Amino acid sequence: MDAVSAHEYLLDNQAGESQDRFSALSALFDPVTFRHVDDLGIAPGWQCWEVGAGGPSVPEGLAARVTPGGRVLATDLETRWLFGGTDPRVEVATHDVVHDDPPEGGFDLVHARLVLLHVPAREEALRRMVSTLRPGGWLLVEDYDISLQPLICPDEVTPDQRLANTVKAEFRQLLLDRGADTQLGRRLPRMLREAGLTRVGADAYFPVAMPSVAVLERANVHQVREALIGRGNLRANDVDRYLELTSTAELDLATAPLVSAWGQCPPS
Ligand SMILES: C[S@@+](CC[C@H](N)C(=O)[O-])C[C@H]1O[C@@H](n2cnc3c(N)ncnc32)[C@H](O)[C@@H]1O
């Protein structure tokens, strides 16, 4: 793994919490992702690159759609959660989207969900992803716009919900310290046009109160517990109380809006 990227990415996949994170992301956002993928016209024979795949659900869903005759390449800095080889339709490779050469091109679809947010050199990553599209191929990028809706509890009524929003604000600072872009979602359409894509469009979705958000939150906050306390604004008791609440209380936890933006490489 590239040392710079490992340092930049706050929630690195070495940690055991990753499996819960990927299951929760799948439950929350796979329906959104596949609605867009289907709208772009995915069909048997398509060649797809899933960038920063994390877990297996998106590559496997793509493989189900492009079989027979298609190809799905799933890459990540750390591929242990992709269960490489268990689905023969998915090719798995360790790859840093910023620092490694892009794979051989000609893709009909390149997709990245919640990856560019964490990558400080996101324009470069986008340029590399676009360079692998065939003429007429599609890029689909999905990322939060955290600043549009930063609260984990938009309906903050109780002290527990106030604590949840306080912990979330500290978590956001950790992301910012690592070079995350908390306004990326809104910028995506412009970034895709500036990268030379046409027929650019975007929409957004976010869960307002869904149980999988608690699973996601528990995995993320548990993984960075020490760093949260280390910032000096939260006591260990606060973080642990919040972790307990995510298992026991009905806090109505939301995420930031996930912006899905798509654009097409001009047909030659
Ligand atoms: C929040 S997870 C999202 C995983 C998956 N795309 C999803 O939506 O379920 C971010 C993923 O991006 C990967 N990642 C971060 N920086 C990367 C880079 N420079 N190159 C490739 N993958 C990267 C991480 O390892 C992690 O698996």
Side-chain angles (χ1 to χ4, degrees), residues 5 9 13 22 25 52-54 76-77 95-97 113-115 118-119:
S5 291
Y9 182 43
N13 296 2
F22 297 142
L25 289 173
D76 204 298
L77 292 176
H95 182 268
D96 181 325
V97 70
R113 186 177 74 194
L114 296 171
V115 179
H118 298 285
V119 174

Side-chain angles (χ1 to χ4, degrees), residues 104-116:
E104 278 298 300
F107 291 105
D108 300 282
L109 175 68
V110 175
H111 173 242
R113 186 177 74 194
L114 296 171
V115 179
L116 294 188

